[in-house]
């Protein structure tokens, strides 16, 4: 049984929700009367047309009863950007710092107020309009962690364009596929970016991606808008050398945006109009364009941020996630701004110029809420406690974790050493699809257990189901599903509603299926146990085995590939690949190198496998299905493989154990 930690007196004394009883009461109320609960929060925002009472939420989760859909505040009209900026400026926050921006190099930093951010967003929105971007158009964004990234996302929201941010660690192939899938009219990028001592040639990757989009997918990107970022501080010959420039298509941000007017009328959007889309891995290998809409997402992002981080007026909040992932969307951009918060936006890495960069920034900006990923914590733990102890970290009150299950050792290190034993740890479970936190602890209210995601957020009704779809009540383990929508749930997969229904709603009609397993313990805590499908979580990056296998089999020397995950002390999981070769081909180091290079080129560096093993054959059932369960055991060198009687050729297993590199 794991130890229970209560919020410290310090955290409770500051908390807007200081007791477990209060949480339970509010959670109950949020389920009993969602309209009363969410309309209270909706009142804070500006509505061109408010939602009609009685029409607050409608949905169908039962695929057998017809089309699956969710609508919140149907009929209401608003604009998210207006609520994040104009409303806050009108409410007296114009001079408040929206972001402290910290560049890769410690000497490169700036700050921006809400008023100035509003001006820049309006200028950018006018620039986008000048290049023909209008309501409903898609804009792909491939950017480093700089203020312009936030600006262009909000500019899209101001004019009703749908942004599709692609993490700038993805390869040009991945970017091309994503831009073509959503038929992006414009691509926004920067000349380059430094990460630690490495220079990323972003414009060069975009040039390749635009070319591939046209040649491979028949999609033409009309405009490529480029922020002069690296050249701004360190004019860098290298970049010019590699970058091509197409005068028709390419335009410098500084030339298009800087002279625009700071007045830009917002596009008034229906509650269920798209706000943004974001690709996430799908188990078939083809990425899924998760679509979030306007009003519900705004309410949910706002509310989770307020309660999960217990953000209060003078606090400084920092989420280290890249804007290329959902965590960056909701908890770097939309939620903090909706709450008129002051945030840190950090371009660099935790390891540059030294391994204490995170801790030094917490002191520099007096950060009170710090939100990061277990993989980052584990990689920092290995440098020892000294780096942390050099800094005071007294400003911290709430620590957040996201992206993968956090192991108790990392949890304890986080709470005791980083948080000085006084901070609450919010282990937030959620997904690109959920828009915001769905299971979490709340700093002043809920008890915590190291490694448990805890309790449902307001409006969320989790359930555990067994294989047959029967509800598991009380203690037990099963499929983690949700019985009803909360406002931030995605509405569809872009251009493929059928896939949406099939992936998330067909296994258990009546429920949204997360694809994760979970366990409820004797105290009612929920523990997320990991994916139950063919997805892998490497350093908090979700990817599918099919996606990587598809790339490996592109190499002519490879006949078949099977990818499984192996636990990894820092990354959480690592990729372990089994390869059979085509007749006459040799498995040697050159093949391994070629395969790693191919994965890097097709997906991105973060997907490069740790291990590639030769397989004379793969363990398959008589019907030809690869038994991944056995491959996972081989990856672990665990000979306790259980029943192999269903295998077509059991001898192959012994061979594979022998061939382990
Ligand atoms: O498996 C779960 C894991 O990450 C998946 C979602 O990945 P993505 O859509 O990329 O979003 C990540 C950031 C929200 C989930 O299905 N996951 C995320 N957070 C946790 C987690 N697993 C356990 N505990 C968490 N706190």
């Amino acid at each position: 049984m794991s130890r229970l930690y209560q919020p410290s007196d310090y955290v409770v004394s500051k908390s807007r929700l200081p007791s477990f009883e209060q949480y339970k009461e509010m959670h109950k109320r949020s389920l009993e009367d969602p309209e009363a609960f969410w309309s209270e929060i909706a009142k804070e925002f500006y509505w061109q047309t408010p939602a009609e009472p009685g029409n607050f939420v409608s949905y169908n989760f039962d695929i057998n009863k017809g089309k699956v859909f969710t609508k919140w505040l149907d009929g209401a009209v608003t604009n998210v950007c207006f609520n994040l900026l104009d409303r806050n400026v009108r409410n007296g926050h114009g001079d408040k710092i929206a972001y402290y921006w910290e560049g890769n190099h410690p000497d490169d930093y700036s700050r921006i107020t809400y008023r100035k951010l509003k001006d820049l967003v309006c200028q950018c929105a006018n620039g986008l309009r000048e290049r023909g971007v209008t309501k409903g158009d898609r804009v792909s964004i491939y950017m480093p962690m700089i203020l312009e990234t936030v600006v262009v996302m909000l500019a899209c929201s101001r004019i009703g364009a749908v942004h599709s941010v692609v993490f700038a660690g993805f390869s040009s192939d991945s970017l091309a596929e994503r831009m073509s899938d959503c038929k992006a009219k414009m691509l926004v990028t920067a000349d380059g970016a430094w990460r630690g001592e490495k220079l990323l040639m972003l414009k060069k990757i975009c040039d390749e991606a635009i070319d591939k989009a046209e040649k491979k997918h028949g999609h033409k990107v009309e405009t490529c808008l480029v922020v002069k970022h690296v050249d701004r501080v360190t004019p860098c010959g290298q970049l010019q050398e590699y970058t091509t420039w197409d005068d028709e298509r390419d335009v410098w941000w500084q030339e298009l945006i800087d002279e625009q007017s700071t007045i830009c009328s917002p596009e008034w959007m229906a509650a269920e109009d798209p706000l943004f889309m974001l690709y996430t891995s799908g188990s078939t290998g083809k990425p899924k364009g998760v679509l979030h809409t306007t009003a519900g997402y705004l309410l949910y992002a706002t509310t989770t941020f307020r309660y999960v981080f217990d953000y209060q007026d003078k606090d400084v909040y920092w989420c280290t996630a890249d804007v290329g992932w959902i965590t960056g969307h909701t908890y770097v951009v939309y939620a903090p701004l909706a709450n008129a918060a002051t945030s840190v936006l950090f371009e660099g890495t935790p390891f540059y110029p030294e391994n204490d960069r995170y801790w030094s920034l917490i002191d520099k900006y007096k950060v009170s809420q710090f939100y990061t990923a277990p993989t980052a914590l584990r990689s920092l733990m290995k440098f020892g406690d000294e780096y942390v102890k050099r800094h005071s970290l007294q400003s911290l009150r709430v620590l957040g974790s996201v992206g993968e299950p956090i192991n108790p050792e990392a949890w304890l290190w986080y709470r005791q050493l980083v948080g000085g034993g006084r901070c609450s740890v919010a282990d937030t479970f959620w997904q690109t699809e959920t828009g915001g936190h769905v299971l979490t602890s709340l700093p002043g209210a809920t008890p915590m257990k190291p490694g448990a995601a805890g309790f449902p957020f307001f409006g969320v009704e989790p359930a555990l189901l067994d294989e047959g779809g029967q509800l598991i009540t009380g203690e037990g383990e099963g499929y983690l599903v949700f019985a009803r929508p909360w406002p931030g749930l995605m509405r569809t997969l872009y251009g493929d509603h059928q896939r949406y229904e099939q992936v998330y709603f067909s296994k258990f009609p009546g429920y949204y299926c997360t694809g994760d397993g979970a366990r409820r313990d004797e105290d009612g805590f929920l523990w997320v146990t990991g994916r139950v499908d063919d997805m892998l979580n490497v350093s908090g990056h979700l990817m599918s085995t099919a996606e990587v296998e598809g790339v490996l089999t592109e190499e002519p020397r490879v006949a078949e590939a099977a990818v499984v995950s192996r636990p990894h002390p820092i990354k959480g999981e690592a990729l372990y690949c089994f390869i059979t070769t085509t007749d006459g081909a040799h498995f040697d180091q050159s093949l391994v190198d070629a395969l790693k290079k191919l994965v890097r080129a097709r997906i991105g560096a973060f997907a490069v496998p740790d291990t590639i093993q030769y397989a004379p054959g793969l363990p398959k059932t008589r019907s030809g299905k690869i038994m991944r369960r056995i491959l996972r055991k081989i990856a672990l060198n665990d000979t306790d493989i259980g029943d192999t009687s269903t295998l077509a050729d059991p001898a192959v297993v012994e061979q594979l154990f022998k061939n382990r590199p």
Side-chain angles (χ1 to χ4, degrees):
M1 205 170 76
S2 53
R3 191 175 150 194
L4 204 66
Y5 288 78
Q6 296 295 343
S8 68
D9 292 347
Y10 172 71
V11 169
V12 173
S13 71
K14 298 227 162 196
S15 176
R16 58 158 51 78
L17 192 69
S19 86
F20 198 25
E21 287 316 309
Q22 238 173 304
Y23 155 74
K24 286 192 225 166
E25 188 276 320
M26 257 178 92
H27 183 253
K28 188 159 163 261
R29 198 149 46 83
S30 73
L31 295 187
E32 281 171 359
D33 192 348
E35 175 159 343
F37 187 88
W38 294 106
S39 61
E40 215 28 60
I41 294 150
K43 275 189 206 150
E44 295 173 23
F45 293 109
Y46 175 79
W47 304 93
Q48 183 85 339
T49 312
E52 278 179 36
N55 203 15
F56 225 75
V57 52
S58 57
Y59 71 97
N60 172 42
F61 267 16
D62 190 341
I63 198 169
N64 297 329
K65 291 192 181 144
K67 188 177 170 191
V68 175
F69 75 93
T70 295
K71 287 180 182 170
W72 284 87
L73 288 84
D74 203 19
V77 175
T78 190
N79 179 280
V80 169
C81 173
F82 185 87
N83 274 295
L84 268 44
L85 301 177
D86 308 59
R87 183 185 59 101
N88 281 330
V89 172
R90 286 180 188 187
N91 287 347
H93 299 298
D95 294 326
K96 191 171 178 184
I97 305 284
Y99 292 101
Y100 290 107
W101 179 74
E102 172 91 7
N104 181 60
H105 195 280
D107 291 340
D108 191 16
Y109 55 88
S110 64
R111 55 173 67 181
I112 189 166
T113 62
Y114 273 85
R115 182 174 294 108
K116 180 74 185 160
L117 184 60
K118 171 174 161 294
D119 289 350
L120 284 182
V121 167
C122 286
Q123 288 184 302
C124 180
N126 286 327
L128 298 189
R129 278 185 174 153
E130 189 182 310
R131 295 295 288 205
V133 178
T134 57
K135 180 177 174 180
D137 285 341
R138 275 79 53 213
V139 173
S140 292
I141 299 176
Y142 189 78
M143 295 273 268
M145 290 285 283
I146 56 178
L147 287 168
E148 287 85 348
T149 310
V150 178
V151 169
V152 73
M153 288 166 77
L154 297 178
C156 286
S157 131
R158 193 165 192 92
I159 63 172
V162 180
H163 61 69
S164 167
V165 183
V166 178
F167 171 58
F170 274 111
S171 65
S172 58
D173 281 299
S174 296
L175 176 58
E177 182 181 14
R178 285 159 176 74
M179 286 194 297
S180 307
D181 184 72
C182 73
K183 308 227 168 355
K185 195 169 206 170
M186 182 187 262
L187 170 62
V188 186
T189 189
D191 50 358
W194 289 99
R195 271 193 67 80
E197 288 172 356
K198 198 166 156 220
L199 177 63
L200 308 176
M201 309 271 193
L202 299 181
K203 173 62 165 64
K204 176 175 178 261
I205 297 171
C206 287
D207 289 345
E208 291 166 6
I210 291 173
D211 194 46
K212 285 173 184 165
E214 199 165 343
K215 297 208 174 108
K216 265 170 79 176
H217 307 280
H219 174 66
K220 195 166 158 55
V221 175
E222 289 174 21
T223 299
C224 182
L225 174 61
V226 190
V227 177
K228 197 172 278 182
H229 174 59
V230 166
D231 245 23
R232 173 191 53 107
V233 275
T234 41
C236 182
Q238 280 185 68
L239 282 174
Q240 267 93 35
E241 204 179 301
Y242 288 107
T243 304
T244 56
W245 196 264
D246 175 336
D247 283 331
E248 287 277 293
R249 183 195 71 197
D250 298 344
V251 56
W252 286 111
W253 174 289
Q254 281 77 355
E255 282 167 20
L256 178 69
I257 308 294
D258 286 0
E259 299 304 317
Q260 299 284 344
S261 158
T262 56
I263 294 167
C264 172
S265 58
E267 187 78 43
W268 296 109
M269 306 292 284
E272 286 298 336
D273 277 341
L275 176 63
F276 68 81
M277 54 187 295
L278 180 59
Y279 286 94
T280 187
S281 292
S283 56
T284 58
K286 185 177 165 358
K288 300 177 295 199
V290 169
L291 189 86
H292 286 287
T293 57
T294 299
Y297 177 83
L298 175 64
L299 290 193
Y300 199 67
T302 306
T303 315
T304 48
F305 179 83
R306 190 171 297 168
Y307 287 97
V308 174
F309 301 118
D310 199 23
Y311 183 86
Q312 292 173 32
D313 194 32
K314 300 256 172 335
D315 290 344
V316 176
Y317 157 90
W318 180 19
C319 168
T320 67
D322 192 283
V323 176
W325 308 109
I326 190 67
T327 310
H329 282 64
T330 306
Y331 298 110
V332 173
V333 181
Y334 288 102
L337 294 175
N339 283 281
T342 297
S343 308
V344 176
L345 183 73
F346 177 44
E347 182 188 23
T349 92
F351 318 112
Y352 177 83
E354 279 206 73
N355 296 323
D356 65 345
R357 188 74 184 278
Y358 275 2
W359 322 127
S360 84
L361 289 185
I362 289 171
D363 277 4
K364 175 171 176 187
Y365 294 109
K366 302 274 172 296
V367 171
S368 31
Q369 286 87 358
F370 179 64
Y371 190 30
T372 196
T375 186
L377 295 172
R378 288 191 297 262
S379 58
L380 291 166
M381 277 169 79
K382 74 170 193 258
F383 300 116
D385 296 356
E386 266 320 294
Y387 283 103
V388 186
K389 288 183 180 159
R390 277 187 207 165
H391 304 276
S392 138
L393 309 181
Q394 279 301 315
S395 54
L396 288 172
R397 196 168 82 243
V398 180
L399 303 172
S401 171
V402 61
E404 54 187 307
I406 181 166
N407 49 314
E409 194 195 353
W411 192 99
L412 286 167
W413 187 82
Y414 201 22
R415 179 174 156 100
Q416 299 309 126
L417 192 72
V418 178
R422 109 198 136 260
C423 298
S424 278
V425 178
D427 177 359
T428 60
F429 166 84
W430 59 297
Q431 308 176 296
T432 306
E433 293 88 337
T434 69
H437 309 137
V438 282
L439 303 180
T440 179
S441 39
L442 297 178
T446 65
M448 294 157 273
K449 288 186 185 181
F455 303 95
F457 190 73
F458 306 130
V460 173
E461 188 186 349
L464 301 181
L465 301 181
D466 68 17
E467 190 61 50
Q470 292 301 308
L471 267 178
I472 299 168
T473 51
E475 281 178 62
E477 187 168 339
Y479 291 88
L480 174 63
V481 299
F482 294 105
R484 60 162 94 191
W486 54 94
L489 177 68
M490 67 168 163
R491 302 299 197 257
T492 190
L493 293 178
Y494 186 82
D496 201 348
H497 196 71
Q498 212 183 343
R499 188 175 181 201
Y500 172 75
E501 294 183 329
Q502 192 266 322
V503 172
Y504 303 100
F505 296 95
S506 66
K507 189 167 171 75
F508 301 113
Y511 295 96
Y512 165 79
C513 196
T514 58
D516 285 290
R519 176 167 69 82
R520 192 185 292 107
D521 74 10
E522 66 281 7
D523 299 317
F525 282 73
L526 287 165
W527 300 70
V528 177
T529 49
R531 301 294 306 187
V532 289
D533 50 12
D534 289 332
M535 304 292 277
L536 298 155
N537 192 328
V538 180
S539 301
H541 302 326
L542 206 59
M543 57 190 90
S544 75
T545 51
E547 189 178 4
V548 183
E549 286 162 4
V551 173
L552 295 174
T553 48
E554 274 181 38
E555 156 65 47
R557 285 171 280 177
V558 172
E560 249 186 324
V563 176
V564 295
S565 96
R566 182 171 64 166
H568 185 280
I570 290 178
K571 301 184 195 180
E573 292 177 31
L575 296 175
Y576 195 112
C577 312
F578 296 87
I579 300 291
T580 67
T581 47
T582 44
D583 279 348
H586 283 296
F587 183 91
D588 54 17
Q589 192 56 40
S590 82
L591 177 56
V592 171
D593 294 344
L595 289 172
K596 289 189 177 180
K597 205 167 145 205
L598 195 60
V599 174
R600 183 185 293 266
R602 290 280 184 270
I603 306 176
F606 59 88
V608 172
D610 274 33
T611 315
I612 298 178
Q613 161 170 357
Y614 172 65
L618 292 169
K620 291 184 183 170
T621 59
R622 283 184 194 90
S623 60
K625 196 171 170 323
I626 296 172
M627 290 190 76
R628 289 169 195 283
R629 175 181 67 78
I630 293 178
L631 292 177
R632 279 192 285 270
K633 291 278 188 184
I634 296 165
L636 276 173
N637 207 12
D638 176 356
T639 48
D640 182 17
I641 53 170
D643 182 19
T644 55
S645 59
T646 54
L647 281 180
D649 175 17
V652 83
V653 174
E654 202 180 315
Q655 271 292 331
L656 290 176
F657 271 110
K658 267 201 209 134
N659 284 352
R660 288 182 84 262

